[in-house]
Amino acid sequence: KGTTREQRALKYLKEHARQGDPDSVLETFDEFCRTQEWAMNAAEEKGDILDEIVRELQPTTCLELGTYCGYSAVRIARNLSPSARLITIEVNPDYAAVAREVVKLAGLQDKIEVINLDSADVIRELKNTYDVTKLDLVFLDHWKYLYIRDIKLIEEEKLLKKGSVVFADNVIIPGAPGYLEYIRGSKNYKSTFYSVHFEYMDDMKDGVEKSVYIGDE
Ligand SMILES: O=C(NCCO)c1cc(-c2ccc(F)cc2)cc(O)c1O
Ligand SMILES: [Mg+2]
């Protein structure tokens, strides 16, 4: 075929979505995944919970680990206030390249920064290199076994403040057992589990975990 699934998705978006319209990009991406090829986007149900969190929290600085094609980055950024921004980290160069195109198609390149590096290396540099003081929202959606490594690193870097929200995808499928045990056992968070459908699969159950940081600044 010569093309990857992600490149085929981007082609479909370019042909069917309205340039500069984030809602159109998301709707078209969901349509592609339901009618052409499945892809590991957060999708409608998980996306609605993410929308609710962003609308209520009104975060200024957001961090996403695991951009993939940029679906959730667009989902988050479309609801951000004018000066707010999202830093999203993707270790896979092919995914990052597609994500940058999707972000541009949505017209959100001024609010979203896609970084093609390893998450741990960027987290260590957020204060010095990326001018971040505190993170209001963190979305964990990269390799599941890395959730626990990176949340510990984020705590170590003192990047969270009272009220910061850590939202984790896939805590059931593929699962992130070490992370769930850690975050639910920590006195620094108040966690809530949401049972949701796995993306684009109406007969499969997944779960997302919303954790509010209540620890020391
Ligand atoms: O690995 C994932 N993300 C990081 C890499 O970019 C990921 C995987 C899956 C999934 C895939 C294949 C399957 F059979 C089951 C689960 C789903 C997701 O939502 C994900 O975020
Ligand atoms: Mg996911």
Side-chain angles (χ1 to χ4, degrees):
K1 263 178 253 175
T3 61
T4 64
R5 172 194 310 240
E6 292 74 30
Q7 284 165 333
R8 292 192 293 274
L10 176 60
K11 181 172 181 291
Y12 187 89
L13 292 175
K14 285 184 171 178
E15 284 167 0
H16 298 86
R18 244 165 57 83
Q19 165 65 44
D21 181 345
D23 298 348
S24 166
V25 168
L26 295 172
E27 281 154 24
T28 307
F29 211 153
D30 286 333
E31 181 194 310
F32 173 81
C33 292
R34 286 191 175 280
T35 62
Q36 318 293 321
E37 299 182 69
W38 181 90
M40 56 184 165
N41 297 335
E44 304 96 338
E45 209 177 337
K46 296 174 176 181
D48 285 345
I49 298 170
L50 192 48
D51 291 348
E52 219 175 281
I53 289 170
V54 173
R55 288 199 181 108
E56 186 195 343
L57 189 64
Q58 297 187 38
T60 306
T61 310
C62 307
L63 175 68
E64 174 181 68
L65 305 183
T67 318
Y68 187 44
C69 293
Y71 178 96
S72 47
V74 168
R75 192 115 197 183
I76 292 167
R78 71 175 178 162
N79 287 323
L80 291 181
S81 52
S83 60
R85 62 188 182 126
L86 167 67
I87 294 172
T88 180
I89 307 170
E90 178 50 63
V91 71
N92 180 310
D94 300 320
Y95 294 168
V98 167
R100 288 188 174 116
E101 288 293 304
V102 172
V103 165
K104 232 164 47 186
L105 187 61
L108 292 169
Q109 61 278 22
D110 295 346
K111 299 177 96 59
I112 301 170
E113 181 175 4
V114 179
I115 300 171
N116 175 215
L117 288 170
D118 175 278
S119 50
D121 297 337
V122 178
I123 291 167
R124 286 193 187 92
E125 286 304 315
L126 282 177
K127 289 187 174 176
N128 296 341
T129 309
Y130 296 92
D131 189 29
V132 169
T133 317
K134 291 284 182 185
L135 296 171
D136 302 301
L137 173 63
V138 178
F139 180 40
L140 303 175
D141 196 21
H142 58 336
W143 291 339
K144 309 316 157 193
Y145 71 95
L146 292 182
Y147 285 16
I148 188 165
R149 177 197 75 176
D150 289 349
I151 194 65
K152 285 182 174 177
L153 208 42
I154 286 167
E155 290 174 6
E156 217 175 281
E157 290 290 322
K158 299 203 171 310
L159 284 160
L160 301 176
K161 68 179 186 187
K162 284 185 183 56
S164 292
V165 171
V166 181
F167 187 57
D169 190 18
N170 309 115
V171 297
I172 303 296
I173 302 179
Y179 170 78
L180 273 190
E181 189 186 343
Y182 174 77
I183 208 83
R184 290 173 176 172
S186 168
K187 62 179 176 12
N188 293 320
Y189 299 88
K190 184 97 188 62
S191 295
T192 310
F193 174 81
Y194 298 84
S195 177
V196 290
H197 288 101
F198 184 68
E199 46 261 35
Y200 311 115
M201 305 291 283
D202 301 338
D203 55 353
M204 277 171 71
K205 288 298 211 160
D206 188 5
V208 289
E209 186 93 354
K210 174 187 176 184
S211 303
V212 182
Y213 188 70
I214 53 175
D216 38 302
E217 295 289 318

